[in-house]
Amino acid sequence: MHIGVLALQGAFREHIVTLESLGVRATAIRMPSQLAQLNGLVIPGGESTAIAKLMVSYGFYDPIRQHHDSAGMAVWGTCAGAILIAREIIDALPGQESLGLMDIAVQRNAFGRQVDSFEADLDFAHLEDGPFRGVFIRAPWIEQTGPGVETLAHHDGKVVAARQGDLMATAFHPELTGDPRVHRFFIEQVVAA
Amino acid sequence: MSDAAKETGTLLVKTGLAEMLKGGVIMDVVNAVQAKIAEDAGAVAVMALERVPADIRATGGVARMADPTKIVEIMEAVTIPVMAKCRIGHFVEAQIIQSLGVDYIDESEVLTPADEQYHVNKRDFTVPFVCGARDLGEALRRIAEGAAMIRTKGEPGTGNVVEAVRHMRTMTDGIAWVSGLRADQLYDAAKQLGAPYELVKWVHDNGKLPVVNFSAGGIATPADAALMMQLGCDGVFVGSGIFKSGDPDKRARAIVEATTHFDDPAVIARVSENLGEAMVGINISEIPEAERMQERGW
């Protein structure tokens, strides 16, 4: 299995380290030509506006859509990545385009600014061994989910993790906690789907 | 479980935002128009200031925290994180900045220090802090005080990358030295570095700083940014280098791309074409020692 981590900006190294700890081949992706042959792609946390601009500059949008739609590449977006894979970005900046892969509407910075950033225990569906520690950094939430989207976790009544076939979105940062259970879920359940 | 208690201001939440800024460019801006240009160019955050370091240097006198209306104007203009500077040791300026809802405080040597012995006790705050450092010991002292992010100082407002390089290399050499020591040598290393043993041990065991380290102070071109990234920093601050240049919009975009593709010379070459005038720049030897900002902080 070969997973790519989009490495334009943000916390991509932590995803690679966690994936490798699970025995998966993980590669930093900086150019669209590297997408070929990937079983899955992680779009990491970072600044969604910065990542989106670099995705436009280097022509990532159509290749990611094509590899997902026709080559079966699974995609997981964390935080900024969840915004980028959504069907709709609520309160998007003018010209801010998402990949439109997953049938969710995501609200940017929904939980507030940095002073409102927080940690909380989450009851994450399908995970064993107790709650998962969610780290929310200027985090979005998932405002709407379409039919066929399974909610995986809530916080304070808001959807903060969801899955639709070979797509997954998390508003928080499993890569910062050292707990590999969400990464394992992605590899075993979402990529293999 | 879904409504479980939440904790704000934890170390993981503070260092976590810095993790999200990695591989990015943080730009100094003095008004809403510049802030929008920075955001549109792909900056990961902006530093809200009244004057960029080059102007602070030219004006002289005591440099203080920016007017809150200036900081709020910039916060309202953009959706990316906004940082603001307080004077070294001026914990009331820090309290004011936190109350405005700023995302990161830079306890900065660019402003005139308010305390020549103590830095701000950054553990008292919910908002995270970034602090400057010239070497490993200084970085670990700031982290002990609660800094959640470090930036090597360089020499601000010069457009001259030489000090940024010196401090980055000194930091890397310090980390390599500590990593290579035997466990029983770490107590003496802590004494030599003037830093807590536990942090020195952490660096020894992990071979890196415990927090994200950006480079600052003199970066003016895409090549400068890529140089600092290849020397091992996690991202760059660009102060005067963008808005003191001939074409700030184009230069800002070019520095963002060079920071992402720092190890791809073909990309750096392409983005470096026709950028117009870079800021003029100052040779460090022409700055009297008393006016070197990097000497501030201890």
Side-chain angles (χ1 to χ4, degrees):
Chain A
M1 184 180 291
H2 187 191
I3 307 293
V5 181
L6 192 66
L8 297 176
Q9 190 272 315
F12 49 86
R13 208 180 308 148
E14 289 66 23
H15 276 294
I16 291 171
V17 168
T18 310
L19 290 164
E20 286 177 342
S21 78
L22 295 170
V24 169
R25 182 178 166 210
T27 303
I29 305 295
R30 290 199 169 83
M31 291 293 179
S33 59
Q34 295 175 279
L35 293 169
Q37 313 301 324
L38 292 181
N39 303 103
L41 177 71
V42 178
I43 304 180
E47 277 306 309
S48 61
T49 53
I51 295 174
K53 281 174 203 308
L54 289 162
M55 283 172 61
V56 170
S57 297
Y58 290 86
F60 268 101
Y61 277 83
D62 285 337
I64 290 176
R65 289 177 184 131
Q66 283 160 10
H67 281 88
H68 169 261
D69 293 349
S70 47
M73 179 180 76
V75 184
W76 171 20
T78 54
C79 194
I83 295 168
L84 290 166
I85 66 172
R87 167 178 49 78
E88 183 190 350
I89 306 172
I90 300 168
D91 294 337
L93 293 180
Q96 186 178 25
E97 187 194 358
S98 71
L99 288 160
L101 296 175
M102 188 168 174
D103 193 5
I104 54 175
V106 175
Q107 173 86 47
R108 295 180 64 213
N109 300 345
F111 284 106
R113 303 191 71 101
Q114 174 62 13
V115 289
D116 307 305
S117 293
F118 64 96
E119 295 179 38
D121 282 339
L122 303 172
D123 192 3
F124 195 106
H126 312 297
L127 294 193
E128 295 176 350
D129 303 325
F132 191 89
R133 192 68 171 167
V135 181
F136 294 79
I137 311 284
R138 289 168 48 92
W141 65 50
I142 298 167
E143 184 71 36
Q144 297 159 18
T145 55
V149 176
E150 179 194 6
T151 295
L152 296 171
H154 288 91
H155 174 77
D156 207 11
K158 301 294 180 184
V159 178
V160 294
R163 180 256 179 102
Q164 178 184 14
D166 58 1
L167 299 165
M168 183 165 80
T170 55
F172 53 95
H173 295 284
E175 77 281 8
L176 294 183
T177 56
D179 181 341
R181 285 181 292 160
V182 176
H183 287 80
R184 189 181 295 124
F185 178 77
F186 177 65
I187 293 164
E188 293 178 357
Q189 303 297 323
V190 182
V191 176
Chain B
M1 190 60 75
S2 64
D3 293 307
K6 62 179 183 182
E7 286 182 81
T8 57
T10 63
L11 186 61
L12 189 53
V13 160
K14 288 176 172 180
T15 55
L17 178 54
E19 299 286 345
M20 296 310 134
L21 301 176
K22 279 189 307 195
V25 183
I26 300 169
M27 302 182 190
D28 280 2
V29 298
V30 300
N31 56 42
V33 173
Q34 289 187 356
K36 279 306 290 179
I37 290 172
E39 181 173 63
D40 289 345
V44 291
V46 291
M47 179 74 71
L49 291 167
E50 263 184 33
R51 286 174 288 174
V52 295
D55 290 333
I56 290 173
R57 192 177 282 290
T59 310
V62 174
R64 309 179 180 90
M65 177 190 87
D67 186 320
T69 56
K70 180 64 71 182
I71 296 171
V72 170
E73 171 195 327
I74 290 163
M75 287 169 65
E76 286 172 353
V78 294
T79 63
I80 56 178
V82 175
M83 301 184 167
K85 289 183 193 290
C86 75
R87 283 180 266 177
I88 289 173
H90 205 313
F91 51 86
V92 172
E93 285 188 349
Q95 291 163 3
I96 293 168
I97 294 170
Q98 174 166 277
S99 78
L100 297 175
V102 162
D103 298 295
Y104 239 94
I105 297 179
D106 184 1
E107 185 182 19
S108 177
E109 68 280 3
V110 167
L111 305 181
T112 309
D115 190 322
E116 296 194 331
Q117 184 167 7
Y118 296 108
H119 281 68
V120 173
N121 177 7
K122 293 165 274 288
R123 296 175 184 275
D124 280 351
F125 290 78
T126 305
V127 66
F129 280 72
V130 54
C131 287
R134 287 163 298 179
D135 55 41
L136 179 60
E138 197 174 4
L140 296 182
R141 287 193 291 280
R142 297 293 86 77
I143 294 165
E145 295 156 1
M149 178 177 180
I150 292 294
R151 52 173 177 71
T152 48
K153 288 179 174 176
E155 187 58 37
T158 59
N160 185 341
V161 81
V162 67
E163 295 301 296
V165 168
R166 187 192 318 282
H167 298 158
M168 195 64 220
R169 285 198 182 278
T170 305
M171 189 76 73
T172 309
D173 288 352
I175 292 167
W177 172 65
V178 166
S179 301
L181 293 176
R182 294 192 316 269
D184 64 354
Q185 294 176 303
L186 296 177
Y187 305 99
D188 182 65
K191 191 179 80 177
Q192 289 186 49
L193 291 166
Y197 167 78
E198 289 71 22
L199 290 174
V200 175
K201 172 101 170 37
W202 197 98
V203 172
H204 172 265
D205 294 349
N206 294 277
K208 58 176 189 168
L209 280 179
V211 302
V212 167
N213 180 29
F214 272 46
S215 175
I219 295 162
T221 69
D224 289 349
L227 173 67
M228 299 317 300
M229 292 295 288
Q230 288 199 27
L231 286 173
C233 70
D234 293 313
V236 297
F237 283 86
V238 184
S240 318
I242 289 172
F243 290 100
K244 286 286 168 191
S245 73
D247 188 343
D249 181 26
K250 193 171 179 190
R251 183 168 295 265
R253 286 171 200 278
I255 291 176
V256 167
E257 292 196 24
T259 303
T260 291
H261 295 281
F262 65 89
D263 57 358
D264 189 336
V267 170
I268 304 167
R270 182 175 54 73
V271 302
S272 299
E273 290 171 358
N274 300 314
L275 288 183
E277 285 291 309
M279 71 179 285
V280 175
I282 307 173
N283 290 311
I284 306 301
S285 58
E286 291 163 16
I287 306 171
E289 229 163 274
E291 291 175 22
R292 291 182 197 169
M293 293 171 175
Q294 61 177 274
E295 307 294 334
R296 300 165 169 177
W298 18 87

